[in-house]
Amino acid sequence: MSERGRSPRRGMCAAVLTLEAITLGLSTPVMVTVADVPLGTALALGLGLAVACIVAAGMLRKEWAYGLGWAIQVAAVALGLLVPVMFFLGALFGLLWGTAYGLGRRIERERAAAYAAFDAGEEPPAGGAPRAG
């Protein structure tokens, strides 16, 4: 990322992980009451994944944290083995994560090209940042 601004990928991915943390935390009582999962197992899975989301969201300055984010998406879908609705919610958050990740990378590439063109004194590429006057 350029020193010129915040990373859109990091911001969007952190937002997805934060919302996912809430959903995963709330899956804990569902696992206990609806799916009859033992309390210790439900706490470890639900709250453990919620904490992992918060940790990953805070660590997105490091590239490895995006890999952790992808692993959390897989684990959220796999939670559907215990609570079937998590197949849907996990897939939904996986789609949101993938969209945030891909769109954020695209914005970062286009922003970098626009800044490079600006620094070279050229017009920015189509869709790039407007030239300061």
Side-chain angles (χ1 to χ4, degrees):
M1 186 194 80
S2 169
E3 295 293 323
R4 299 181 193 227
R6 296 179 190 257
S7 165
R9 178 177 55 148
R10 185 171 63 224
M12 289 188 291
C13 287
V16 170
L17 286 171
T18 301
L19 292 172
E20 190 170 11
I22 295 167
T23 302
L24 289 168
L26 291 173
S27 73
T28 303
V30 173
M31 282 189 269
V32 172
T33 59
V34 175
D36 293 326
V37 175
L39 180 62
T41 304
L43 287 171
L45 292 173
L47 296 182
L49 284 172
V51 168
C53 284
I54 299 301
V55 168
M59 297 300 297
L60 288 175
R61 291 178 191 264
K62 308 288 186 191
E63 197 61 34
W64 61 262
Y66 291 98
L68 177 59
W70 284 109
I72 290 168
Q73 304 316 308
V74 171
V77 172
L79 205 54
L81 296 170
L82 296 175
V83 181
V85 74
M86 287 306 295
F87 283 126
F88 171 74
L89 290 174
L92 179 64
F93 276 104
L95 180 64
L96 290 170
W97 171 263
T99 301
Y101 184 83
L103 184 59
R105 287 191 61 140
R106 179 177 165 197
I107 292 169
E108 288 172 354
R109 279 193 310 269
E110 289 177 1
R111 184 183 283 178
Y115 280 131
F118 178 78
D119 289 343
E122 304 168 1
E123 288 297 317
R131 185 171 180 159

